[in-house]
């Protein structure tokens, strides 16, 4: 593990601006200051209240938290519920069936669908029956590999309805990555589509599933295929089934059964510090409670009046918690958008805000920085007066981007919630509470009511105000991960062994003089590229699997738009060196290696830069000194090289790179 990042702390410490919420906002806000007092007075009692407020239990729970086998938690012990019934059925039963659940906006202009809760109810019942007809039952894992279409949410909810844990794999992952995730979870069925739209063109998804299943032995018995683009697909008789045909053939109604609060709801793979992605798994009860609670108090969703829009992809945790489980458990109306922000033009997001009268927008700093780059004239063309609150997630938001978001998008009127959390935490942990907190640009500020977070030093002692350290969570929380799928030892080791009795988040943070928390970024070998977590080790092993590569080291270098960018240093195998030396060959090889990474992991993992070098800087014990490579990647003077086994390596690298220019 490297040291706490301290670069930039000084500049951030001088950020003094604060913005109080307007009286109008405060008057309508879902949460007030008393929430903090209630949570502080009796934390478990507080969570019990939230659990009963936000979720409908088929059987009420007894004990709130069983921490006797820490770090393996049980929340709302003995409680029984169905997540899908909570997200859909009960809103229909309460007479809100006509409320729009999803204003879906397809990437091709004019391609839209509005789906009410009553319609969603019909879809999830048929989908649950169709899955049951394919043999899916309680405890059977289902992989979902879909574009941003309503069927993605329907598929997840149908699985939840059956007690079948879903494992959603982001559509930008390759067949290889999909294969390992399918097999690790032991998925019985894969739900995919023929394809999806990407920057104006249909692009195939099913071919990746076909390729993933052709790799070898598989647990998969059926592939359920949604028709989205109408493109041709290969068909494996007996295995492949059209979604629309299966739903049509399935019974119309489905009686949902309640499951234990601790029943696994889903698995979601995320990058860790080794080459093997971790299957983070979440239980039903606590997860649902914290998703709904945070969507209510942090995003300030008023289900009767708001139009909420979270721009994340369903393949990431943000899409799970804040497209599907949070807003739907509240019975909210939301926008779901299939495409990219610049298709077919750079004003697409703002056009959607204007057309759908979006009131709450939740997006990522990398998107905000991109919009900044495109210029304010673009959003200025649209009427965005419907907006009342803005949210940010996924990576640190720099004060400049925060201020731009506030002024240009929020018309200086909307509070901004900078929400810190992780796949592992399941829901928001650190964030302003918008009707209460005076916000400070660039800081996630404080744990929300019910959560305890601290910044500690190497010894696990809380740091003083004005200092930096590691971000830890000192008390269990309802939506915490229940483990790593199939690997309890790795769960303990990764999160609970660094500091006794504390959850180690892997992020560096600092406390400012006012006690605000500033999350600075990862302190482990995980990069954050456009808000996507990428493991250096995973990309290194993808590179090394190429026949021409002998060794590889990957670092995340600071990047103005994407936060970090992937930079790889590669040593070639002897036989490939000569080839690369010939005129022009080096460039071809770099392109070949970038494509190889895309094939192994996915296009999102393609390095921005690949540098072919003769050596890598290593310590005497053989550990690659990434810090020095980062200096090179960020065009800085190379730091202290005294611990290198061979101190001439860095000059060799710099020399080589100069020649390469
Ligand atoms: C980073 C996404 C600073 C952090 C929900 C964390 C943030 C990782 C913030 C989790 C934020 C997320 N400020 N950094 N508001 N939100 N991060 O699992 O490094 O994809 O550990 O979950 O993103 O990424 P993940």
């Amino acid at each position: 593990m490297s040291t706490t990042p301290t670069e930039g702390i000084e500049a951030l410490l001088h950020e003094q601006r604060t913005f109080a919420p307007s009286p109008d906002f405060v008057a309508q806000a879902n949460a007030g200051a008393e929430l903090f007092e209630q949570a502080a007075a009796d934390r478990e009692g507080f969570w019990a209240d939230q659990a009963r407020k936000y979720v409908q239990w088929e059987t009420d729970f007894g004990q709130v938290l069983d921490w006797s086998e820490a770090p393996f938690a049980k929340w709302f012990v003995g409680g029984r519920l169905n997540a899908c019934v909570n997200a859909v059925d009960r809103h229909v039963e309460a007479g809100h069936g006509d409320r729009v659940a999803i204003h879906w906006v397809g990437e091709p202009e004019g391609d839209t669908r509005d789906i009410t809760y009553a319609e969603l109810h019909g879809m999830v019942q048929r989908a649950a029956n169709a899955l049951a007809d394919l043999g899916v039952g309680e405890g059977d894992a289902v992989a979902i590999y879909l574009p941003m279409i309503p069927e993605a949410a329907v598929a997840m909810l149908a699985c939840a309805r059956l007690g079948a844990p879903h494992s959603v794999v982001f559509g930008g992952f390759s067949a290889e990555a999909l294969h390992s995730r399918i097999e690790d979870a032991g998925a019985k069925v894969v739900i995919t589509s023929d394809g999806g739209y990407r920057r104006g063109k249909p692009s195939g998804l099913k071919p990746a599933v076909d390729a993933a299943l052709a790799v070898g032995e598989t647990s998969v018995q059926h592939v359920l295929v949604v028709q989205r683009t109408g493109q041709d697909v290969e068909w494996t008789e007996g295995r492949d089934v059209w979604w629309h045909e299966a739903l049509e053939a399935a019974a119309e109604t489905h009686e949902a059964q309640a499951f234990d609060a601790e029943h696994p709801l889903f698995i979601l793979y995320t990058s860790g510090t080794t080459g093997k992605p971790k299957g983070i798994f979440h239980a039903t009860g606590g997860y649902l409670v914290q998703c709904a609670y945070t969507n209510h108090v942090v995003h300030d969703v008023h289900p009767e009046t708001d139009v909420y829009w979270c721009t994340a992809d369903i393949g990431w945790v943000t899409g799970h918690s804040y497209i599907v489980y949070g807003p739907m458990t509240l019975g909210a109306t939301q926008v779901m958008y299939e495409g990219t922000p610049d298709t077919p033009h750079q004003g697409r997001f703002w056009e959607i805000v204007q057309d759908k009268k979006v009131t709450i927008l939740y997006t990522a700093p990398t998107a905000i920085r991109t919009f900044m780059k495109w210029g304010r004239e673009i959003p200025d063309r649209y009427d965005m007066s419907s907006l009342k609150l803005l949210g940010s997630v996924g990576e640190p938001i720099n004060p400049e981007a925060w201020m731009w978001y506030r002024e240009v998008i929020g018309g200086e009127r909307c509070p901004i919630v900078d929400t810190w959390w992780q796949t592992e935490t399941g829901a928001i942990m650190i964030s302003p509470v918008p009707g209460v907190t005076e916000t400070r640009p660039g800081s996630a500020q404080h744990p929300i009511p019910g959560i305890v977070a601290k910044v500690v030093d190497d010894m696990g002692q809380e740091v003083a105000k004005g200092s930096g350290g590691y971000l830890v969570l000192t008390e269990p929380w309802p939506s915490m991960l229940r483990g790593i799928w199939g690997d309890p030892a790795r769960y303990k080791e990764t999160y609970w062994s660094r500091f006794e009795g504390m959850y180690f988040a892997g992020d560096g943070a600092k406390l400012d003089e006012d006690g605000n928390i500033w999350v600075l970024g990862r302190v482990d070998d995980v990069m954050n590229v456009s808000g996507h977590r990428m493991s250096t080790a995973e990309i290194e092993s993808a590179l090394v699997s190429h026949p021409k590569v002998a060794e590889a080291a990957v670092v995340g270098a600071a990047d103005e738009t994407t936060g970090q960018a992937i930079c790889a240093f590669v040593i070639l195998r002897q036989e490939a060196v000569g080839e690369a030396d010939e005129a022009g060959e080096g460039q071809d090889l770099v392109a070949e290696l970038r494509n190889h990474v895309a094939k192994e992991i996915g296009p999102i993992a393609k390095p921005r830069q690949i540098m072919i070098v003769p050596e890598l800087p290593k310590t005497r014990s053989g550990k690659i000194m990434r810090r020095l490579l980062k200096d090179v990647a960020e065009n800085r003077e190379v730091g202290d090289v005294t611990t290198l086994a061979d101190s001439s390596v860095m000059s060799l690298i710099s020399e080589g790179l100069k020649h390469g220019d």
Side-chain angles (χ1 to χ4, degrees), residues 4-9 12 396 468-469 507-510 518-522:
T4 312
T6 48
E7 295 151 31
I9 286 189
L12 292 174
D507 279 319
K510 76 170 177 69
W518 295 70
V519 181
L520 301 171
R522 306 289 310 187

Side-chain angles (χ1 to χ4, degrees), residues 179 183 211-219:
H179 168 77
E183 299 312 325
L213 300 185
V215 171
E217 287 265 309
T218 177
S219 53

Side-chain angles (χ1 to χ4, degrees), residues 317-318 393-396 418-423 507 519 522 528 533:
V317 75
T318 307
V393 60
E395 50 178 319
D418 173 7
T419 60
W420 178 88
W421 58 294
Q422 310 176 295
T423 305
D507 279 319
V519 181
R522 306 289 310 187
N528 192 327
R533 265 165 79 170

Side-chain angles (χ1 to χ4, degrees), residues 3-16 396-400 440-443 455-457 463-471 507-514 516-523 636:
T3 49
T4 312
T6 48
E7 295 151 31
I9 286 189
E10 284 314 313
L12 292 174
L13 274 172
H14 298 308
E15 181 59 64
Q16 290 295 336
I397 175 163
N398 43 314
E400 297 70 33
R440 178 160 291 185
S443 168
V455 182
V456 300
D457 63 17
V463 302
K465 287 180 179 165
S467 307
Y470 302 98
L471 184 61
D507 279 319
K510 76 170 177 69
L511 274 187
D512 69 15
E513 295 297 340
D514 300 320
N516 289 306
I517 297 175
W518 295 70
V519 181
L520 301 171
R522 306 289 310 187
V523 291
R636 251 197 318 274

Side-chain angles (χ1 to χ4, degrees), residues 154-478:
V154 172
M156 290 164 72
L157 291 165
C159 289
R161 196 171 185 91
L162 295 170
H166 52 72
S167 167
V168 182
V169 180
F170 175 59
F173 280 116
S174 69
E176 307 283 336
L178 179 61
H179 168 77
S180 65
R181 285 161 177 78
I182 288 173
E183 299 312 325
D184 187 77
K188 207 165 171 178
V189 166
V190 181
I191 306 177
T192 188
S193 68
D194 46 2
Y197 287 93
R198 202 75 195 148
R199 297 188 196 280
K201 283 195 278 282
S203 95
L205 275 177
K206 185 165 187 289
V209 176
D210 291 335
L213 300 185
V215 171
E217 287 265 309
T218 177
S219 53
V220 173
Q221 295 167 7
H222 290 287
V223 179
L224 203 46
V225 189
V226 178
Q227 202 164 37
R228 165 64 188 132
T229 57
Q231 63 201 103
D232 281 341
V233 288
E234 302 229 343
W235 206 253
T236 304
E237 283 308 326
R239 185 196 74 182
D240 299 349
V241 182
W242 283 111
W243 167 273
H244 59 274
E245 288 178 3
L247 261 67
E248 213 167 279
E252 198 178 334
T253 58
H254 177 270
E255 180 107 21
Q257 183 197 333
F259 300 100
D260 192 272
E262 285 300 313
H263 187 71
L265 180 63
F266 68 86
I267 310 165
L268 186 58
Y269 287 84
T270 188
S271 297
T273 52
T274 71
K276 191 175 178 286
K278 303 178 278 198
I280 303 300
F281 87 88
H282 281 284
T284 310
Y287 173 78
L288 209 63
V289 168
Q290 199 173 326
C291 285
Y293 159 73
T294 48
N295 199 219
H296 195 243
V297 308
V298 177
H299 297 111
D300 202 54
V301 168
H302 294 61
E304 314 76 32
T305 48
D306 277 318
V307 178
Y308 163 89
W309 182 19
C310 166
T311 69
D313 191 282
I314 238 157
W316 307 109
V317 75
T318 307
H320 282 57
S321 303
Y322 297 111
I323 293 177
V324 179
Y325 292 108
M328 292 193 183
T329 299
L330 294 179
T333 295
Q334 68 178 310
V335 168
M336 180 176 183
Y337 173 53
E338 183 186 32
T340 57
D342 55 351
T343 310
H345 58 83
Q346 295 178 335
R348 189 76 196 271
F349 266 33
W350 320 121
E351 186 178 77
I352 294 172
V353 167
Q354 172 179 282
D355 288 355
K356 302 293 175 197
K357 300 200 166 39
V358 172
T359 58
I360 302 167
L361 178 70
Y362 192 36
T363 193
T366 186
I368 300 164
R369 291 191 296 262
T370 304
F371 298 136
M372 270 173 86
K373 216 165 52 185
W374 291 345
R376 73 170 292 162
E377 329 62 90
I378 295 169
D380 281 349
R381 279 181 216 138
Y382 299 88
D383 174 8
M384 300 200 285
S385 57
S386 55
L387 287 170
K388 72 157 199 193
L389 178 126
L390 304 174
S392 171
V393 60
E395 50 178 319
I397 175 163
N398 43 314
E400 297 70 33
W402 195 102
M403 287 303 296
W404 190 89
Y405 199 25
R406 178 181 157 80
E407 287 164 10
V408 178
I409 305 304
E412 294 185 47
R413 153 189 94 245
C414 307
I416 297 181
V417 291
D418 173 7
T419 60
W420 178 88
W421 58 294
Q422 310 176 295
T423 305
E424 292 87 339
T425 71
I428 293 168
M429 304 293 283
I430 301 178
S431 167
V433 171
V436 181
T437 310
E438 292 200 0
T439 52
R440 178 160 291 185
S443 168
Q445 297 189 287
H446 53 68
I448 59 167
I451 299 301
V452 191
K454 299 211 160 98
V455 182
V456 300
D457 63 17
D458 268 321
M459 305 304 292
Q461 300 295 320
E462 251 187 291
V463 302
K465 287 180 179 165
S467 307
Y470 302 98
L471 184 61
V472 296
L473 303 165
T474 54
E475 297 291 342
W477 62 99

Side-chain angles (χ1 to χ4, degrees), residues 366 369 395-396 528-531 556-565:
T366 186
R369 291 191 296 262
E395 50 178 319
N528 192 327
V529 183
S530 297
D559 183 283
E560 256 185 34
T561 308
T562 60
Q564 283 189 310

Side-chain angles (χ1 to χ4, degrees), residues 28-65:
Q28 62 80 62
N30 284 332
E34 66 288 350
L35 213 60
F36 287 89
E37 289 151 31
Q38 287 162 12
D42 173 12
R43 222 176 66 86
E44 288 186 19
F46 172 83
W47 281 118
D49 290 347
Q50 307 318 313
R52 294 195 178 102
K53 175 172 174 182
Y54 290 106
V55 163
Q56 177 180 306
W57 299 85
E58 176 83 22
T59 309
D60 194 18
F61 52 89
Q63 200 180 354
V64 179
L65 166 67

